[in-house]
Amino acid sequence: MIFNKHLENIKTYEAGKPIELVVREYGIETKDIVKLASNENPLGCSPKVVEAVSKILTKMALYPDDSMVNLKNALSARYDVDSQNVIIGSGSDQVIEFLIHAKAHNGSKILMNSITFAMYEIYAKHVGADVIRTSSQEHDLDEFYKLYQEQKPEIIFICTPNNPTGDALDAQKIYDFLQKIDNDTLVVIDAAYMEYAIIKDAKKEINVKELIQKHSNVIYLGTFSKAYGLGGMRVGYGIADTKIIKELYKLRPPFNITTLSLEAATLALGDEEFVKKSVALNLEQMKRYEKFAKEQKIDIINSYTNFVTLLLGSERNSTKIANQLLQKGMIVRDLSSYNINAIRVTIGTDEQNSRFFKLVTQFL
Ligand SMILES: *Cc1c(COP(=O)(O)O)cnc(C)c1O
């Protein structure tokens, strides 16, 4: 059978290995497996969310509230924008899919960092768009601007903090960059890890209200999958000028967020204490990774997220080390598919991190 030719050169996204797979393949017991591969919150989610969701389980028989009024209101209050500036997706991934389909087409150019979130390229290929990448490892907005002038892309992706490297841009640099971009170029600011960045350095925080007031061509993305600990519920969002949101709505399938997920995300947003606790633990444990890397003479990228990227240099091989760890029940992310010899480790609990240090020392 002949399929859509755009799909021919798409490599299927490789998600972090689930615990169940390691149980099956290596015969390790679930309790002995530590998953530090998908940047999930090691504290789980807010207990208030678990309690509230468990009370509404029978609602799963009915279709969800497709207006998503509670969650939209909660998000618009959180960012001080109108609820018409908000779109909710099944993960911010889905919002990325919408906006690429809304703006790009066969032959469009989409500009992004040399190393960045893998899904941008996959969605770009759905529509036959060409991906243009910078050369520098961290976001260099001067280089972005140069390529913008040369290539006239339809869409520019800025991932801050960036996955899988962990570096983040100062908000002011982004504001200065946006001044120079014409109104018909869609700029996406993917801020999936922003909650972690702002307690490490307040200069990374983006004023979303001002951003979308000043720039009708910018969309800001957030997710409940990381600091809020709701990866399994699949909820993310985009905030932008209503003209953008209106177009994205044309692509949205009905009932794209489940009743339980809507409830979970709304309550999670209300429990600021839980997020505070999560980001504080993360920062404290990140210092242990920094110390460990220094002792082991491993280069790491200064991280503003809940993961640390260990650059392994020429003597060590990331795929080999990731596999050795896997056989011991420690799941981390090998970054060889991003063409860097590095592993990405999600910052876990004190105990999980100690276990990582102990294991990885054996293989280095
Ligand atoms: C995790 C992540 C997302 C989206 O995650 P969802 O679970 O789909 O909300 C988006 N961008 C980046 C950079 C991420 O790391």
Side-chain angles (χ1 to χ4, degrees), residues 13 38-39 89-94 96 116-118 120 159-164 190-193 221-226 230-231 234-237 307 344:
Y13 180 76
S38 298
N39 305 336
S90 174
S92 57
D93 249 296
Q94 192 180 34
I96 297 167
T116 194
F117 192 47
Y120 306 152
C159 188
T160 183
N162 190 28
N163 179 11
D190 185 348
Y193 300 93
L221 305 180
T223 179
F224 288 93
S225 301
K226 309 287 159 60
L230 292 177
R234 314 301 306 121
V235 192
Y237 54 90
F307 58 81
R344 190 193 70 190

PDB file of all heavy atoms in Angstrom, residues 13 38-39 89-94 96 116-118 120 159-164 190-193 221-226 230-231 234-237 307 344, ligand 1:
ATOM      1  N   TYR A  13       8.832   8.384  17.197  1.00  0.00           N
ATOM      2  CA  TYR A  13       9.344   8.950  18.449  1.00  0.00           C
ATOM      3  C   TYR A  13       9.623   7.848  19.461  1.00  0.00           C
ATOM      4  O   TYR A  13       8.809   6.943  19.666  1.00  0.00           O
ATOM      5  CB  TYR A  13       8.323   9.924  19.045  1.00  0.00           C
ATOM      6  CG  TYR A  13       8.772  10.549  20.354  1.00  0.00           C
ATOM      7  CD1 TYR A  13       9.725  11.569  20.363  1.00  0.00           C
ATOM      8  CD2 TYR A  13       8.259  10.131  21.571  1.00  0.00           C
ATOM      9  CE1 TYR A  13      10.151  12.141  21.550  1.00  0.00           C
ATOM     10  CE2 TYR A  13       8.681  10.702  22.771  1.00  0.00           C
ATOM     11  CZ  TYR A  13       9.630  11.705  22.745  1.00  0.00           C
ATOM     12  OH  TYR A  13      10.045  12.267  23.927  1.00  0.00           O
ATOM     13  N   SER A  38      11.944  10.149  31.856  1.00  0.00           N
ATOM     14  CA  SER A  38      10.932  10.945  31.153  1.00  0.00           C
ATOM     15  C   SER A  38      10.588  12.255  31.869  1.00  0.00           C
ATOM     16  O   SER A  38       9.555  12.846  31.594  1.00  0.00           O
ATOM     17  CB  SER A  38       9.667  10.110  30.946  1.00  0.00           C
ATOM     18  OG  SER A  38       9.964   8.995  30.138  1.00  0.00           O
ATOM     19  N   ASN A  39      11.451  12.666  32.762  1.00  0.00           N
ATOM     20  CA  ASN A  39      11.290  13.962  33.439  1.00  0.00           C
ATOM     21  C   ASN A  39       9.972  14.097  34.198  1.00  0.00           C
ATOM     22  O   ASN A  39       9.364  15.163  34.269  1.00  0.00           O
ATOM     23  CB  ASN A  39      11.462  15.117  32.441  1.00  0.00           C
ATOM     24  CG  ASN A  39      12.787  15.007  31.707  1.00  0.00           C
ATOM     25  OD1 ASN A  39      13.728  14.394  32.224  1.00  0.00           O
ATOM     26  ND2 ASN A  39      12.874  15.582  30.541  1.00  0.00           N
ATOM     27  N   GLY A  89      -4.613  21.246  25.277  1.00  0.00           N
ATOM     28  CA  GLY A  89      -4.319  20.096  24.427  1.00  0.00           C
ATOM     29  C   GLY A  89      -4.091  18.842  25.247  1.00  0.00           C
ATOM     30  O   GLY A  89      -3.855  18.910  26.454  1.00  0.00           O
ATOM     31  N   SER A  90      -4.168  17.703  24.565  1.00  0.00           N
ATOM     32  CA  SER A  90      -3.843  16.435  25.203  1.00  0.00           C
ATOM     33  C   SER A  90      -2.311  16.385  25.300  1.00  0.00           C
ATOM     34  O   SER A  90      -1.617  15.874  24.436  1.00  0.00           O
ATOM     35  CB  SER A  90      -4.387  15.290  24.353  1.00  0.00           C
ATOM     36  OG  SER A  90      -3.955  14.078  24.893  1.00  0.00           O
ATOM     37  N   GLY A  91      -1.800  17.031  26.333  1.00  0.00           N
ATOM     38  CA  GLY A  91      -0.382  17.348  26.432  1.00  0.00           C
ATOM     39  C   GLY A  91      -0.104  18.578  25.584  1.00  0.00           C
ATOM     40  O   GLY A  91      -0.858  18.862  24.640  1.00  0.00           O
ATOM     41  N   SER A  92       0.963  19.333  25.908  1.00  0.00           N
ATOM     42  CA  SER A  92       1.263  20.474  25.030  1.00  0.00           C
ATOM     43  C   SER A  92       1.707  19.951  23.670  1.00  0.00           C
ATOM     44  O   SER A  92       1.664  20.651  22.668  1.00  0.00           O
ATOM     45  CB  SER A  92       2.275  21.433  25.647  1.00  0.00           C
ATOM     46  OG  SER A  92       3.460  20.792  25.982  1.00  0.00           O
ATOM     47  N   ASP A  93       2.114  18.686  23.631  1.00  0.00           N
ATOM     48  CA  ASP A  93       2.370  18.025  22.354  1.00  0.00           C
ATOM     49  C   ASP A  93       1.242  18.239  21.342  1.00  0.00           C
ATOM     50  O   ASP A  93       1.490  18.504  20.168  1.00  0.00           O
ATOM     51  CB  ASP A  93       2.434  16.506  22.609  1.00  0.00           C
ATOM     52  CG  ASP A  93       3.839  15.999  22.426  1.00  0.00           C
ATOM     53  OD1 ASP A  93       4.323  16.086  21.300  1.00  0.00           O
ATOM     54  OD2 ASP A  93       4.429  15.550  23.410  1.00  0.00           O
ATOM     55  N   GLN A  94       0.026  18.088  21.791  1.00  0.00           N
ATOM     56  CA  GLN A  94      -1.087  18.229  20.860  1.00  0.00           C
ATOM     57  C   GLN A  94      -1.216  19.670  20.366  1.00  0.00           C
ATOM     58  O   GLN A  94      -1.564  19.906  19.208  1.00  0.00           O
ATOM     59  CB  GLN A  94      -2.408  17.764  21.494  1.00  0.00           C
ATOM     60  CG  GLN A  94      -3.508  17.620  20.444  1.00  0.00           C
ATOM     61  CD  GLN A  94      -4.822  17.162  21.031  1.00  0.00           C
ATOM     62  OE1 GLN A  94      -5.185  17.499  22.166  1.00  0.00           O
ATOM     63  NE2 GLN A  94      -5.564  16.373  20.268  1.00  0.00           N
ATOM     64  N   ILE A  96       1.286  21.634  19.915  1.00  0.00           N
ATOM     65  CA  ILE A  96       2.362  21.752  18.917  1.00  0.00           C
ATOM     66  C   ILE A  96       1.883  21.189  17.580  1.00  0.00           C
ATOM     67  O   ILE A  96       2.081  21.786  16.516  1.00  0.00           O
ATOM     68  CB  ILE A  96       3.639  21.019  19.393  1.00  0.00           C
ATOM     69  CG1 ILE A  96       4.193  21.663  20.678  1.00  0.00           C
ATOM     70  CG2 ILE A  96       4.706  21.019  18.304  1.00  0.00           C
ATOM     71  CD1 ILE A  96       5.250  20.835  21.403  1.00  0.00           C
ATOM     72  N   THR A 116      16.985  19.839  20.173  1.00  0.00           N
ATOM     73  CA  THR A 116      15.786  20.296  20.880  1.00  0.00           C
ATOM     74  C   THR A 116      14.725  19.194  20.884  1.00  0.00           C
ATOM     75  O   THR A 116      14.978  18.079  20.434  1.00  0.00           O
ATOM     76  CB  THR A 116      15.270  21.634  20.277  1.00  0.00           C
ATOM     77  OG1 THR A 116      14.320  22.215  21.164  1.00  0.00           O
ATOM     78  CG2 THR A 116      14.620  21.445  18.905  1.00  0.00           C
ATOM     79  N   PHE A 117      13.557  19.513  21.406  1.00  0.00           N
ATOM     80  CA  PHE A 117      12.476  18.537  21.558  1.00  0.00           C
ATOM     81  C   PHE A 117      12.170  17.844  20.221  1.00  0.00           C
ATOM     82  O   PHE A 117      11.900  18.504  19.209  1.00  0.00           O
ATOM     83  CB  PHE A 117      11.244  19.280  22.082  1.00  0.00           C
ATOM     84  CG  PHE A 117      10.130  18.387  22.558  1.00  0.00           C
ATOM     85  CD1 PHE A 117      10.371  17.297  23.394  1.00  0.00           C
ATOM     86  CD2 PHE A 117       8.820  18.664  22.196  1.00  0.00           C
ATOM     87  CE1 PHE A 117       9.333  16.495  23.841  1.00  0.00           C
ATOM     88  CE2 PHE A 117       7.773  17.872  22.654  1.00  0.00           C
ATOM     89  CZ  PHE A 117       8.034  16.781  23.469  1.00  0.00           C
ATOM     90  N   ALA A 118      12.217  16.514  20.233  1.00  0.00           N
ATOM     91  CA  ALA A 118      12.149  15.741  18.984  1.00  0.00           C
ATOM     92  C   ALA A 118      10.804  15.855  18.254  1.00  0.00           C
ATOM     93  O   ALA A 118      10.737  15.672  17.034  1.00  0.00           O
ATOM     94  CB  ALA A 118      12.457  14.277  19.276  1.00  0.00           C
ATOM     95  N   TYR A 120       9.008  18.416  17.510  1.00  0.00           N
ATOM     96  CA  TYR A 120       8.842  19.526  16.550  1.00  0.00           C
ATOM     97  C   TYR A 120       9.088  19.015  15.128  1.00  0.00           C
ATOM     98  O   TYR A 120       8.344  19.324  14.197  1.00  0.00           O
ATOM     99  CB  TYR A 120       9.825  20.672  16.822  1.00  0.00           C
ATOM    100  CG  TYR A 120       9.832  21.241  18.213  1.00  0.00           C
ATOM    101  CD1 TYR A 120      10.998  21.824  18.734  1.00  0.00           C
ATOM    102  CD2 TYR A 120       8.700  21.232  19.025  1.00  0.00           C
ATOM    103  CE1 TYR A 120      11.035  22.367  20.002  1.00  0.00           C
ATOM    104  CE2 TYR A 120       8.736  21.765  20.302  1.00  0.00           C
ATOM    105  CZ  TYR A 120       9.916  22.327  20.795  1.00  0.00           C
ATOM    106  OH  TYR A 120       9.965  22.858  22.050  1.00  0.00           O
ATOM    107  N   CYS A 159      12.707  26.732  22.672  1.00  0.00           N
ATOM    108  CA  CYS A 159      12.383  25.854  23.790  1.00  0.00           C
ATOM    109  C   CYS A 159      13.209  26.310  24.994  1.00  0.00           C
ATOM    110  O   CYS A 159      14.426  26.139  25.024  1.00  0.00           O
ATOM    111  CB  CYS A 159      12.719  24.410  23.404  1.00  0.00           C
ATOM    112  SG  CYS A 159      12.156  23.192  24.604  1.00  0.00           S
ATOM    113  N   THR A 160      12.546  26.942  25.962  1.00  0.00           N
ATOM    114  CA  THR A 160      13.269  27.498  27.100  1.00  0.00           C
ATOM    115  C   THR A 160      12.535  27.222  28.406  1.00  0.00           C
ATOM    116  O   THR A 160      11.412  27.648  28.554  1.00  0.00           O
ATOM    117  CB  THR A 160      13.542  29.015  26.913  1.00  0.00           C
ATOM    118  OG1 THR A 160      14.308  29.487  28.033  1.00  0.00           O
ATOM    119  CG2 THR A 160      12.272  29.837  26.805  1.00  0.00           C
ATOM    120  N   PRO A 161      13.135  26.447  29.298  1.00  0.00           N
ATOM    121  CA  PRO A 161      14.395  25.718  29.183  1.00  0.00           C
ATOM    122  C   PRO A 161      14.294  24.640  28.103  1.00  0.00           C
ATOM    123  O   PRO A 161      13.211  24.118  27.845  1.00  0.00           O
ATOM    124  CB  PRO A 161      14.562  25.072  30.551  1.00  0.00           C
ATOM    125  CG  PRO A 161      13.694  25.851  31.475  1.00  0.00           C
ATOM    126  CD  PRO A 161      12.558  26.335  30.655  1.00  0.00           C
ATOM    127  N   ASN A 162      15.453  24.333  27.525  1.00  0.00           N
ATOM    128  CA  ASN A 162      15.449  23.403  26.401  1.00  0.00           C
ATOM    129  C   ASN A 162      15.534  21.949  26.866  1.00  0.00           C
ATOM    130  O   ASN A 162      16.233  21.618  27.799  1.00  0.00           O
ATOM    131  CB  ASN A 162      16.642  23.725  25.485  1.00  0.00           C
ATOM    132  CG  ASN A 162      16.603  22.971  24.169  1.00  0.00           C
ATOM    133  OD1 ASN A 162      15.532  22.617  23.677  1.00  0.00           O
ATOM    134  ND2 ASN A 162      17.774  22.722  23.588  1.00  0.00           N
ATOM    135  N   ASN A 163      14.792  21.100  26.196  1.00  0.00           N
ATOM    136  CA  ASN A 163      14.893  19.662  26.371  1.00  0.00           C
ATOM    137  C   ASN A 163      15.530  19.118  25.092  1.00  0.00           C
ATOM    138  O   ASN A 163      15.028  19.437  24.019  1.00  0.00           O
ATOM    139  CB  ASN A 163      13.479  19.076  26.545  1.00  0.00           C
ATOM    140  CG  ASN A 163      13.470  17.574  26.703  1.00  0.00           C
ATOM    141  OD1 ASN A 163      14.506  16.952  26.883  1.00  0.00           O
ATOM    142  ND2 ASN A 163      12.285  16.985  26.640  1.00  0.00           N
ATOM    143  N   PRO A 164      16.587  18.320  25.128  1.00  0.00           N
ATOM    144  CA  PRO A 164      17.160  17.603  26.269  1.00  0.00           C
ATOM    145  C   PRO A 164      18.456  18.184  26.839  1.00  0.00           C
ATOM    146  O   PRO A 164      19.237  17.430  27.415  1.00  0.00           O
ATOM    147  CB  PRO A 164      17.448  16.236  25.651  1.00  0.00           C
ATOM    148  CG  PRO A 164      17.927  16.576  24.264  1.00  0.00           C
ATOM    149  CD  PRO A 164      17.166  17.829  23.869  1.00  0.00           C
ATOM    150  N   ASP A 190       8.192  27.290  23.951  1.00  0.00           N
ATOM    151  CA  ASP A 190       7.822  26.070  24.665  1.00  0.00           C
ATOM    152  C   ASP A 190       8.475  26.114  26.043  1.00  0.00           C
ATOM    153  O   ASP A 190       9.688  26.005  26.177  1.00  0.00           O
ATOM    154  CB  ASP A 190       8.293  24.850  23.866  1.00  0.00           C
ATOM    155  CG  ASP A 190       7.839  23.535  24.504  1.00  0.00           C
ATOM    156  OD1 ASP A 190       7.370  23.547  25.661  1.00  0.00           O
ATOM    157  OD2 ASP A 190       7.970  22.485  23.836  1.00  0.00           O
ATOM    158  N   ALA A 191       7.639  26.288  27.061  1.00  0.00           N
ATOM    159  CA  ALA A 191       8.136  26.506  28.422  1.00  0.00           C
ATOM    160  C   ALA A 191       7.741  25.346  29.348  1.00  0.00           C
ATOM    161  O   ALA A 191       7.340  25.553  30.490  1.00  0.00           O
ATOM    162  CB  ALA A 191       7.599  27.838  28.944  1.00  0.00           C
ATOM    163  N   ALA A 192       7.904  24.126  28.840  1.00  0.00           N
ATOM    164  CA  ALA A 192       7.466  22.944  29.595  1.00  0.00           C
ATOM    165  C   ALA A 192       8.116  22.835  30.980  1.00  0.00           C
ATOM    166  O   ALA A 192       7.537  22.251  31.891  1.00  0.00           O
ATOM    167  CB  ALA A 192       7.741  21.675  28.780  1.00  0.00           C
ATOM    168  N   TYR A 193       9.319  23.404  31.118  1.00  0.00           N
ATOM    169  CA  TYR A 193      10.052  23.279  32.398  1.00  0.00           C
ATOM    170  C   TYR A 193      10.164  24.598  33.150  1.00  0.00           C
ATOM    171  O   TYR A 193      10.990  24.729  34.050  1.00  0.00           O
ATOM    172  CB  TYR A 193      11.459  22.721  32.133  1.00  0.00           C
ATOM    173  CG  TYR A 193      11.409  21.367  31.489  1.00  0.00           C
ATOM    174  CD1 TYR A 193      11.441  21.236  30.102  1.00  0.00           C
ATOM    175  CD2 TYR A 193      11.286  20.220  32.257  1.00  0.00           C
ATOM    176  CE1 TYR A 193      11.351  19.995  29.502  1.00  0.00           C
ATOM    177  CE2 TYR A 193      11.201  18.974  31.669  1.00  0.00           C
ATOM    178  CZ  TYR A 193      11.231  18.868  30.291  1.00  0.00           C
ATOM    179  OH  TYR A 193      11.141  17.642  29.705  1.00  0.00           O
ATOM    180  N   LEU A 221       3.698  27.957  25.448  1.00  0.00           N
ATOM    181  CA  LEU A 221       3.202  26.617  25.785  1.00  0.00           C
ATOM    182  C   LEU A 221       3.624  26.186  27.183  1.00  0.00           C
ATOM    183  O   LEU A 221       4.772  26.371  27.576  1.00  0.00           O
ATOM    184  CB  LEU A 221       3.741  25.582  24.792  1.00  0.00           C
ATOM    185  CG  LEU A 221       3.497  25.806  23.308  1.00  0.00           C
ATOM    186  CD1 LEU A 221       4.117  24.660  22.513  1.00  0.00           C
ATOM    187  CD2 LEU A 221       2.009  25.928  23.008  1.00  0.00           C
ATOM    188  N   GLY A 222       2.677  25.590  27.892  1.00  0.00           N
ATOM    189  CA  GLY A 222       2.986  25.025  29.205  1.00  0.00           C
ATOM    190  C   GLY A 222       2.383  23.639  29.311  1.00  0.00           C
ATOM    191  O   GLY A 222       1.568  23.227  28.474  1.00  0.00           O
ATOM    192  N   THR A 223       2.777  22.892  30.334  1.00  0.00           N
ATOM    193  CA  THR A 223       2.270  21.532  30.480  1.00  0.00           C
ATOM    194  C   THR A 223       2.065  21.158  31.949  1.00  0.00           C
ATOM    195  O   THR A 223       2.710  21.721  32.830  1.00  0.00           O
ATOM    196  CB  THR A 223       3.236  20.513  29.823  1.00  0.00           C
ATOM    197  OG1 THR A 223       2.710  19.191  30.003  1.00  0.00           O
ATOM    198  CG2 THR A 223       4.626  20.562  30.434  1.00  0.00           C
ATOM    199  N   PHE A 224       1.170  20.222  32.178  1.00  0.00           N
ATOM    200  CA  PHE A 224       0.976  19.665  33.513  1.00  0.00           C
ATOM    201  C   PHE A 224       1.792  18.387  33.716  1.00  0.00           C
ATOM    202  O   PHE A 224       1.696  17.745  34.753  1.00  0.00           O
ATOM    203  CB  PHE A 224      -0.518  19.387  33.760  1.00  0.00           C
ATOM    204  CG  PHE A 224      -1.306  20.644  33.943  1.00  0.00           C
ATOM    205  CD1 PHE A 224      -1.938  21.252  32.866  1.00  0.00           C
ATOM    206  CD2 PHE A 224      -1.392  21.244  35.199  1.00  0.00           C
ATOM    207  CE1 PHE A 224      -2.645  22.442  33.026  1.00  0.00           C
ATOM    208  CE2 PHE A 224      -2.102  22.429  35.369  1.00  0.00           C
ATOM    209  CZ  PHE A 224      -2.727  23.025  34.284  1.00  0.00           C
ATOM    210  N   SER A 225       2.564  18.004  32.705  1.00  0.00           N
ATOM    211  CA  SER A 225       3.262  16.716  32.767  1.00  0.00           C
ATOM    212  C   SER A 225       4.535  16.737  33.599  1.00  0.00           C
ATOM    213  O   SER A 225       5.032  15.688  33.980  1.00  0.00           O
ATOM    214  CB  SER A 225       3.640  16.262  31.357  1.00  0.00           C
ATOM    215  OG  SER A 225       2.495  16.132  30.555  1.00  0.00           O
ATOM    216  N   LYS A 226       5.102  17.899  33.854  1.00  0.00           N
ATOM    217  CA  LYS A 226       6.407  17.944  34.489  1.00  0.00           C
ATOM    218  C   LYS A 226       6.260  18.352  35.962  1.00  0.00           C
ATOM    219  O   LYS A 226       6.002  17.503  36.788  1.00  0.00           O
ATOM    220  CB  LYS A 226       7.339  18.863  33.688  1.00  0.00           C
ATOM    221  CG  LYS A 226       7.376  18.524  32.184  1.00  0.00           C
ATOM    222  CD  LYS A 226       8.141  17.258  31.851  1.00  0.00           C
ATOM    223  CE  LYS A 226       7.811  16.600  30.522  1.00  0.00           C
ATOM    224  NZ  LYS A 226       8.015  17.381  29.308  1.00  0.00           N
ATOM    225  N   LEU A 230       1.616  15.297  36.357  1.00  0.00           N
ATOM    226  CA  LEU A 230       0.431  14.687  35.756  1.00  0.00           C
ATOM    227  C   LEU A 230       0.692  14.144  34.345  1.00  0.00           C
ATOM    228  O   LEU A 230      -0.196  14.183  33.486  1.00  0.00           O
ATOM    229  CB  LEU A 230      -0.717  15.706  35.711  1.00  0.00           C
ATOM    230  CG  LEU A 230      -1.305  16.125  37.058  1.00  0.00           C
ATOM    231  CD1 LEU A 230      -2.381  17.200  36.844  1.00  0.00           C
ATOM    232  CD2 LEU A 230      -1.915  14.930  37.781  1.00  0.00           C
ATOM    233  N   GLY A 231       1.877  13.602  34.127  1.00  0.00           N
ATOM    234  CA  GLY A 231       2.222  13.083  32.790  1.00  0.00           C
ATOM    235  C   GLY A 231       1.192  12.097  32.253  1.00  0.00           C
ATOM    236  O   GLY A 231       0.880  12.090  31.069  1.00  0.00           O
ATOM    237  N   ARG A 234      -2.159  13.685  30.547  1.00  0.00           N
ATOM    238  CA  ARG A 234      -2.052  14.311  29.221  1.00  0.00           C
ATOM    239  C   ARG A 234      -2.785  15.655  29.138  1.00  0.00           C
ATOM    240  O   ARG A 234      -3.816  15.791  28.483  1.00  0.00           O
ATOM    241  CB  ARG A 234      -2.573  13.364  28.109  1.00  0.00           C
ATOM    242  CG  ARG A 234      -2.101  11.934  28.169  1.00  0.00           C
ATOM    243  CD  ARG A 234      -0.587  11.790  28.098  1.00  0.00           C
ATOM    244  NE  ARG A 234      -0.010  12.458  26.955  1.00  0.00           N
ATOM    245  CZ  ARG A 234       0.915  13.443  27.043  1.00  0.00           C
ATOM    246  NH1 ARG A 234       1.377  13.847  28.228  1.00  0.00           N
ATOM    247  NH2 ARG A 234       1.377  14.006  25.967  1.00  0.00           N
ATOM    248  N   VAL A 235      -2.272  16.638  29.820  1.00  0.00           N
ATOM    249  CA  VAL A 235      -2.842  17.986  29.708  1.00  0.00           C
ATOM    250  C   VAL A 235      -1.730  19.026  29.526  1.00  0.00           C
ATOM    251  O   VAL A 235      -0.778  19.080  30.306  1.00  0.00           O
ATOM    252  CB  VAL A 235      -3.673  18.400  30.949  1.00  0.00           C
ATOM    253  CG1 VAL A 235      -4.475  19.678  30.650  1.00  0.00           C
ATOM    254  CG2 VAL A 235      -4.612  17.293  31.408  1.00  0.00           C
ATOM    255  N   GLY A 236      -1.877  19.830  28.490  1.00  0.00           N
ATOM    256  CA  GLY A 236      -0.976  20.952  28.254  1.00  0.00           C
ATOM    257  C   GLY A 236      -1.789  22.108  27.709  1.00  0.00           C
ATOM    258  O   GLY A 236      -2.999  21.974  27.494  1.00  0.00           O
ATOM    259  N   TYR A 237      -1.145  23.245  27.481  1.00  0.00           N
ATOM    260  CA  TYR A 237      -1.912  24.402  27.027  1.00  0.00           C
ATOM    261  C   TYR A 237      -1.067  25.357  26.201  1.00  0.00           C
ATOM    262  O   TYR A 237       0.166  25.329  26.256  1.00  0.00           O
ATOM    263  CB  TYR A 237      -2.525  25.152  28.223  1.00  0.00           C
ATOM    264  CG  TYR A 237      -1.520  25.542  29.290  1.00  0.00           C
ATOM    265  CD1 TYR A 237      -0.865  26.765  29.244  1.00  0.00           C
ATOM    266  CD2 TYR A 237      -1.221  24.668  30.338  1.00  0.00           C
ATOM    267  CE1 TYR A 237       0.065  27.111  30.223  1.00  0.00           C
ATOM    268  CE2 TYR A 237      -0.293  25.010  31.322  1.00  0.00           C
ATOM    269  CZ  TYR A 237       0.348  26.226  31.251  1.00  0.00           C
ATOM    270  OH  TYR A 237       1.280  26.560  32.202  1.00  0.00           O
ATOM    271  N   PHE A 307      16.022  17.775  34.983  1.00  0.00           N
ATOM    272  CA  PHE A 307      16.938  16.729  34.510  1.00  0.00           C
ATOM    273  C   PHE A 307      18.331  17.321  34.360  1.00  0.00           C
ATOM    274  O   PHE A 307      18.504  18.540  34.335  1.00  0.00           O
ATOM    275  CB  PHE A 307      16.456  16.125  33.189  1.00  0.00           C
ATOM    276  CG  PHE A 307      16.301  17.125  32.059  1.00  0.00           C
ATOM    277  CD1 PHE A 307      17.388  17.551  31.313  1.00  0.00           C
ATOM    278  CD2 PHE A 307      15.047  17.649  31.752  1.00  0.00           C
ATOM    279  CE1 PHE A 307      17.250  18.469  30.286  1.00  0.00           C
ATOM    280  CE2 PHE A 307      14.894  18.574  30.717  1.00  0.00           C
ATOM    281  CZ  PHE A 307      15.998  18.974  29.991  1.00  0.00           C
ATOM    282  N   ARG A 344      20.767  11.747  29.557  1.00  0.00           N
ATOM    283  CA  ARG A 344      19.914  12.674  30.286  1.00  0.00           C
ATOM    284  C   ARG A 344      19.280  11.915  31.449  1.00  0.00           C
ATOM    285  O   ARG A 344      18.670  10.869  31.244  1.00  0.00           O
ATOM    286  CB  ARG A 344      18.834  13.221  29.354  1.00  0.00           C
ATOM    287  CG  ARG A 344      18.035  14.388  29.935  1.00  0.00           C
ATOM    288  CD  ARG A 344      16.795  14.669  29.107  1.00  0.00           C
ATOM    289  NE  ARG A 344      15.829  13.599  29.261  1.00  0.00           N
ATOM    290  CZ  ARG A 344      14.720  13.466  28.521  1.00  0.00           C
ATOM    291  NH1 ARG A 344      14.452  14.337  27.580  1.00  0.00           N
ATOM    292  NH2 ARG A 344      13.895  12.457  28.731  1.00  0.00           N
TER     293      ARG A 344
HETATM  294  C1  LIG B   1       7.523  17.149  28.035  1.00  0.00           C
HETATM  295  C2  LIG B   1       7.609  18.223  27.019  1.00  0.00           C
HETATM  296  C3  LIG B   1       6.493  18.724  26.331  1.00  0.00           C
HETATM  297  C4  LIG B   1       5.109  18.245  26.389  1.00  0.00           C
HETATM  298  O1  LIG B   1       4.736  17.290  27.162  1.00  0.00           O
HETATM  299  P1  LIG B   1       3.194  16.871  27.210  1.00  0.00           P
HETATM  300  O2  LIG B   1       3.260  15.727  28.134  1.00  0.00           O
HETATM  301  O3  LIG B   1       2.777  16.529  25.823  1.00  0.00           O
HETATM  302  O4  LIG B   1       2.459  18.065  27.735  1.00  0.00           O
HETATM  303  C5  LIG B   1       6.659  19.753  25.455  1.00  0.00           C
HETATM  304  N1  LIG B   1       7.845  20.288  25.238  1.00  0.00           N
HETATM  305  C6  LIG B   1       8.931  19.852  25.863  1.00  0.00           C
HETATM  306  C7  LIG B   1      10.210  20.515  25.585  1.00  0.00           C
HETATM  307  C8  LIG B   1       8.858  18.793  26.766  1.00  0.00           C
HETATM  308  O5  LIG B   1       9.968  18.355  27.346  1.00  0.00           O
END
